[in-house]
Amino acid sequence: MSDNSRRSFLHRLAAGGAVLALGAPVLSACRSSDSTGSPDPDPPTPVDGRFRLRFAPEVSPSSLTLTAAAGTANIGSTNAAAWMLNGSLPSPLIRARRGDRFAVTMRNQLPQDLILHWHGLTAPEHSDGHPRFAVPPGGTYEYDFDVTDRAGTYWYHSHTHMHTGEHTYKGIAGLLLVQDAEEEALQLPSGARELPLILQDRRLDATGAPVYNNTGPAMMAGVMGAEPFVNGVHKAFVDVDSALYRLRLLNGSNARIFRLARSDNAPFVLIGGDGGLLPAPVTLTSMDLAPAERADILLDLRALQMGTRVMLRSLPFNMQGGMGFMGGANLQGQALDLLEFRVTRAVSDQAAIPTSLPPVSLPNAALSVRERRFVFESFQMNHTINGREFVMTRDDVVVPFGETEIWTFENASGLPHPVHLHATHFQVLSRSGGRGQVMPWETGRKDTVLLHPFESVRVAVQFTEQSGLFLLHCHNLEHEDMGMMVNVRVTTFPMSTHSSPTSP
Ligand code: C2O
Ligand code: CU
Ligand code: CU
């Protein structure tokens, strides 16, 4: 087995459930059964100026304990302080099947309050990680629900108010992959041919360790860095076969938008987004991925010779009407080489790229009974929605369960805002201003949509799974922490019987 498939095999073995149900110590023992015998079985060793990609250990969500604590992680170029769940950077990869029970105990051994949010899952109110549920240092929190969402690339991260940016940056973030029979029928690349990848940018201090600095210009643009990290590894590479790969991509950056492309300009096939598979595959040579957005991509390396190296990179870009470089503080749109694929084994791979995908259920805009407007503004150091900053317990919007509505997200600022909604997925209907169109990667079920400066995006929204208090916010984590967030109360009674003075 190649390094990659061996590692992957061990991960699949570890993901078997029964073993992991016993918790973190067994997991570590399992990981260190890797051939190196070292405490870190996947050290990001240097080869030719880059560092070997590592994969998070895989865990099952049924009877899982996640302990948050400060520690030290090997990022390839150095050892660095990190905040981790079960001692892992990135956080463990949670692999679930639709219908699984999601029973997670979160133990907070960090010096700050903590709550975890399962981004993209329609979890019930109590398990959705609203910041009002954050527990103090030493506390625990129990999550318990059934996974009802379709197969897809979801993720999780800290949602502690005013600290989400810091916690996520320091390491409290991981992928959450849901599988189901519908997706398995497609026989997409799996095992060692499926690569879960968290893409992030980081700024390094004099010792080469990532440093979180949300002061000064970062209060406006968000925290960005010039250094590429994938799965917590600085300047990563991965050894691959000349085969078809499935990349499960997450933009886990606080503020940085990526324009993804292959360095050889060859196309790739996008098959999934935030809420699972798209209605149809889309062939692209580049696509934008904003913070919190996901992309499920088929990367065809079958035409490549042994020894070939291809970079997954973020291309440079400008945004119309944008605020520009801000004296060097704003790295938005700067090029970044994220991950190098090194073809180290020639194989023959007959895997098929699907030409069609199963139907996707989306809210029907024609059935809309109501419209709402949300204006995102950034002025000096204030980031507001409809002129207000977040208040923990105020119901800003009251939405009846099951009713279809059209929401307009309007960016009245020169900064980009990736807008995220909890507890459901929406359909992007149209965009005016800026790019003036729905982008080809915005089909399917979305939970995060990027607004370039002065763009307006209309989406169709329907809450069909949960009622209770949820959130709508900017996923630029510094904007979110500074209050660019509103509470959305989903009620089980119709609108006419309820009056909300504060609802837009
Ligand atoms: Cu990924 Cu409310 O967040
Ligand atoms: Cu979310
Ligand atoms: Cu924002």
Side-chain angles (χ1 to χ4, degrees), residues 480-496:
E480 173 186 341
D481 280 337
M482 293 171 74
M484 197 174 237
M485 177 153 75
V486 291
N487 277 315
V488 176
R489 180 169 296 282
V490 181
T491 66
T492 51
F493 45 83
M495 200 59 171
S496 49

Side-chain angles (χ1 to χ4, degrees), residues 342-360:
R342 298 178 176 174
V343 181
T344 52
R345 196 168 67 151
V347 299
S348 122
D349 177 11
Q350 304 309 320
I353 297 177
T355 53
S356 66
L357 295 169
V360 177

Side-chain angles (χ1 to χ4, degrees), residues 55-59 64 66 85 90-96 102 118-119 152-157 172-178 195-199 230-231 247-252 292-295:
F55 296 94
E58 291 196 7
V59 297
L64 171 66
L66 291 173
L85 293 168
S91 299
L93 187 159
I94 301 176
R95 197 180 279 271
F102 197 103
W118 321 103
H119 181 128
T153 311
Y154 306 101
W155 68 298
Y156 66 105
H157 56 83
I172 307 294
L175 279 163
L176 200 170
L177 301 181
V178 176
L195 307 180
L197 303 172
I198 303 178
L199 313 176
V230 179
N231 292 351
L247 310 186
R248 315 295 296 266
L249 302 173
L250 161 69
N251 183 341
E293 284 188 305
R294 286 85 72 205

Side-chain angles (χ1 to χ4, degrees), residues 117-120 128 157 159 420-423 447 473 475:
H117 164 62
W118 321 103
H119 181 128
D128 192 53
H157 56 83
H159 219 306
H420 170 53
L421 178 62
H422 287 217
D447 59 48
H473 60 86
H475 222 290

Side-chain angles (χ1 to χ4, degrees), residues 220 376 378 383 415-418 474-477 479-480 484:
M220 200 59 192
F376 293 76
S378 291
H383 305 284
L415 289 172
H417 300 289
C474 180
H475 222 290
N476 176 313
L477 296 180
H479 295 180
E480 173 186 341
M484 197 174 237

